[in-house]
Amino acid sequence: FIASGWGVRNPYVAGADAQGNLLLTWEERDSASGGLGRVQARRLHAGLNQWRSITAVATGAGTDHRSPIAAVAPDGSGTVVFRNQVSGGGGAANFR
């Protein structure tokens, strides 16, 4: 499974770089944090033909992160931006 969890929503394939590496993001309800949203990402390493570990971009602990949008650069790096539902602010994370 690419992603399995409680309330996986808004899966998004950010795209691929020239080598075929993929970056996927999704929003998930964090049952350990009372159902608040967390943003997660996973990468496919094309050279190894295997999925890399799931990365918690933003946890649901104490706040509610949602609406991830991601992009992949030609060199395989990526950026994920998301919204903090509680404060109305935004956040971002980079992948290399």
Side-chain angles (χ1 to χ4, degrees):
F1 291 97
I2 293 172
S4 62
W6 185 56
V8 173
R9 296 185 195 181
N10 299 324
Y12 181 78
V13 178
D17 65 8
Q19 291 77 39
N21 299 306
L22 296 174
L23 177 64
L24 294 103
T25 63
W26 66 92
E27 175 187 314
E28 176 176 302
R29 295 290 160 247
D30 186 355
S31 58
S33 296
L36 296 173
R38 65 181 172 192
V39 172
Q40 306 228 61
R42 194 161 196 196
R43 293 180 68 177
L44 173 68
H45 189 289
L48 299 176
N49 193 29
Q50 60 184 215
W51 289 98
R52 296 310 217 184
S53 298
I54 294 172
T55 302
V57 176
T59 66
T63 191
D64 194 2
H65 295 106
R66 298 188 188 189
S67 306
I69 299 174
V72 176
D75 68 356
S77 62
T79 300
V80 179
V81 295
F82 51 90
R83 179 172 44 97
N84 182 322
Q85 189 76 353
V86 175
S87 71
N94 290 316
F95 294 88
R96 304 235 180 257

